[in-house]
Amino acid sequence: FNSLNHDMTLAEFKFIWYMEYSHRMWGRVVGLVYILPAAYFWRRGWLSRPLKGCVLALCGLVCFQGLLGWYMVKSGLEEKPDSYDIPRVSQYRLAAHLGSALVLYSASLWTGLSLLLPRHKLPETHQLLRLRQYTHGTTALIFLTALSGAFVAGLDAGLVYNSFPKMGERWIPDDLLAFSPVLRNVFENPTTVQFDHRILGIASITAVTALYLFSRKIPLPRRTRMAVTSLLAAACIQ
């Protein structure tokens, strides 16, 4: 209000305040959903030794996620004398917050499914090993694409070009490497950040499609086929 939004009304302020407040409260509820049952199961002796390590790691990651969220929001409230743009959080902290959330969600899902569903005993064929390696690579690519999306959001890079597949009238924009040193463009140049996110997104959908086609050549359990097909469907929707 003091720096930019001088005409903001009380109702407009309340809207963004309640958005932030509800997000914080929801995060705290999530933390309690992790920590309270974990303490109960631990006290009752229902957790095996390996599972205790997983539970401690998940609860620690929940707490770390909350601290990282506070650290991220704090960056949006700091005075930036070299910036006259709209107030925004640090894209680095936003990417870290999103990345840790994805790790937490994936680890929780993996742990839960490992307990609920017995692991298939499949013969370790050469094709199956290749499929597993390719799946891990595709996972890493999707994770990197999501993190690059956080940089797009943090820099409002989605507003720079709104045409596809070209960016404006060119395949490769003139200002792609406008910043110095060159590496700074990858994280701070909105044009480069949007360009990278496009390339990573196309690479991800290509990798998922290739994974699906490769999986069709291997005899797999029904549950695995459903997972691969669902992955392709989610990638296409995304």
Side-chain angles (χ1 to χ4, degrees):
F1 181 84
N2 290 331
S3 303
L4 184 67
N5 301 309
H6 308 296
D7 57 345
M8 176 180 283
T9 65
L10 183 60
E12 290 171 332
F13 172 77
K14 283 183 177 181
F15 174 76
I16 62 172
W17 188 90
Y18 278 117
M19 288 281 285
E20 177 64 23
Y21 180 76
S22 61
H23 183 69
R24 288 187 180 204
M25 292 302 105
W26 184 256
R28 289 168 183 171
V29 168
V30 169
L32 291 176
V33 167
Y34 271 84
I35 294 170
L36 293 181
Y40 177 75
F41 295 152
W42 193 300
R43 186 174 179 82
R44 295 297 296 267
W46 293 350
L47 303 178
S48 64
R49 186 164 184 173
L51 195 55
K52 285 181 178 179
C54 291
V55 167
L56 283 176
L58 289 172
C59 290
L61 196 53
V62 166
C63 297
F64 175 74
Q65 175 71 1
L67 288 173
L68 200 54
W70 166 80
Y71 184 61
M72 178 196 72
V73 172
K74 184 174 179 289
S75 68
L77 303 176
E78 294 169 350
E79 291 287 345
K80 301 179 180 67
D82 58 337
S83 175
Y84 302 96
D85 205 345
I86 61 173
R88 56 164 61 92
V89 298
S90 164
Q91 68 270 27
Y92 297 100
R93 299 184 192 183
L94 178 60
H97 189 51
L98 175 64
S100 64
L102 290 174
V103 170
L104 173 62
Y105 179 78
S106 301
S108 302
L109 189 63
W110 184 275
T111 303
L113 291 177
S114 298
L115 294 171
L116 293 171
L117 303 175
R119 185 171 182 175
H120 286 296
K121 300 295 183 181
L122 300 176
E124 294 292 328
T125 63
H126 178 66
Q127 280 188 317
L128 187 64
L129 288 174
R130 282 184 59 197
L131 178 66
R132 187 177 291 127
Q133 290 171 353
Y134 191 75
T135 303
H136 292 162
T138 303
T139 302
L141 180 60
I142 293 171
F143 183 74
L144 185 61
T145 304
L147 287 190
S148 74
F151 280 90
V152 172
L155 291 171
D156 281 339
L159 304 177
V160 181
Y161 292 98
N162 59 8
S163 56
F164 187 86
K166 290 185 177 181
M167 298 179 73
E169 298 297 322
R170 303 176 66 89
W171 290 101
I172 300 178
D174 292 331
D175 55 342
L176 191 67
L177 300 175
F179 291 11
S180 182
V182 175
L183 186 61
R184 189 176 156 218
N185 289 279
V186 178
F187 304 106
E188 299 181 11
N189 184 339
T191 297
T192 312
V193 166
Q194 190 193 122
F195 180 82
D196 290 344
H197 189 57
R198 289 178 179 223
I199 298 301
L200 287 168
I202 294 169
S204 291
I205 187 71
T206 303
V208 171
T209 304
L211 175 66
Y212 171 80
L213 295 175
F214 182 50
S215 71
R216 302 295 294 178
K217 300 178 181 179
I218 307 174
L220 295 171
R222 179 173 177 270
R223 196 171 72 206
T224 309
R225 291 206 176 280
M226 288 177 59
V228 177
T229 304
S230 300
L231 175 64
L232 179 63
C236 291
I237 293 171
Q238 177 70 2

